[in-house]
Amino acid sequence: MSVEWDVFAQALAEELPNLPEGGLVVIAEPGEEKYARYTQFMQREDELWGYVVVNSFLDESARASEEAERIISAAGWRAPEPSAGHDNWWAALPWPATAEQYLHLTQMVVAGLRDGYGIPDPGVFRYKAWNRNTGEDLDFPRLGLPRD
C-alpha cells in the first residue's frame, strides 16, 4: 500500500488530539526490532511526547548517516536525554496543543523518517496504540495503516 507523506502527516495530526492521557502509539516498520525504524507518541497529563528512533537502537544497516542525523536535528528533534526519560530523538507539545502544533510535529516525523532515515513511503508502516492506564486498544483509522 502506498501512502503519500503529506497525507500521512495530516492524518497523524488529526489523530493525535484524540490520544487520551496514558495513550501510546507506535508506528513502525514491520520486522525485527533492531531493523525497525519508528516513531512513537505518549500522551501525558499536560503534554504529548513524540519520538523518532535513534541509531543506537538500530542495526548498522538501518541507521541514519551523520548528515541524516543533522537533518533530523535541524527538523526540530531534540537529542536523546536518557536522564530525563528520553532515549530517542524527542519533542514535546503542551496539552492541549493547537492543530498547527500537531501538524508541525507530524511534519518533523516526516523529516526524521523520510529525509533522515530515507524511508520512501509511510505505507510500509504498521501501528499499535493502547492506553497504558486502562489497557484498552486505541484505533487510528485515518492513518490508513494496518495494526500490528
Side-chain angles (χ1 to χ4, degrees), residues 1-4 7-16 25-28 39 41 106 122-123 125-129 138-147:
M1 163 181 46
S2 181
V3 176
E4 296 294 324
V7 172
F8 171 79
Q10 183 63 47
L12 184 56
E14 292 171 4
E15 290 286 9
L16 287 175
V25 181
V26 179
I27 301 169
T39 185
F41 303 90
T106 62
F125 293 123
R126 301 178 64 80
Y127 83 95
K128 53 186 168 185
L138 302 172
D139 289 318
F140 282 71
R142 288 182 186 103
L143 293 179
L145 300 175
R147 288 187 70 91

Side-chain angles (χ1 to χ4, degrees), residues 1-107:
M1 163 181 46
S2 181
V3 176
E4 296 294 324
W5 277 107
D6 60 339
V7 172
F8 171 79
Q10 183 63 47
L12 184 56
E14 292 171 4
E15 290 286 9
L16 287 175
N18 301 320
L19 195 61
E21 182 180 343
L24 292 156
V25 181
V26 179
I27 301 169
E29 293 176 300
E32 291 185 52
E33 191 171 304
K34 66 183 180 178
Y35 298 101
R37 293 163 294 184
Y38 61 87
T39 185
Q40 66 184 34
F41 303 90
M42 180 171 61
Q43 181 63 58
R44 299 178 55 85
E45 180 181 348
D46 58 354
E47 61 186 354
L48 174 73
W49 288 354
Y51 298 96
V52 168
V53 67
V54 69
N55 278 346
S56 61
F57 288 115
L58 298 171
D59 184 76
E60 191 172 319
S61 65
R63 292 180 181 168
S65 67
E66 285 183 29
E67 176 59 29
E69 286 189 311
R70 285 191 284 279
I71 291 169
I72 294 168
S73 178
W77 290 104
R78 296 167 74 174
E81 294 179 40
S83 63
H86 303 295
D87 294 332
N88 288 293
W89 293 100
W90 70 282
L93 291 183
W95 192 88
T98 66
E100 292 79 19
Q101 288 171 310
Y102 284 115
L103 185 57
H104 179 73
L105 178 62
T106 62
Q107 290 169 339

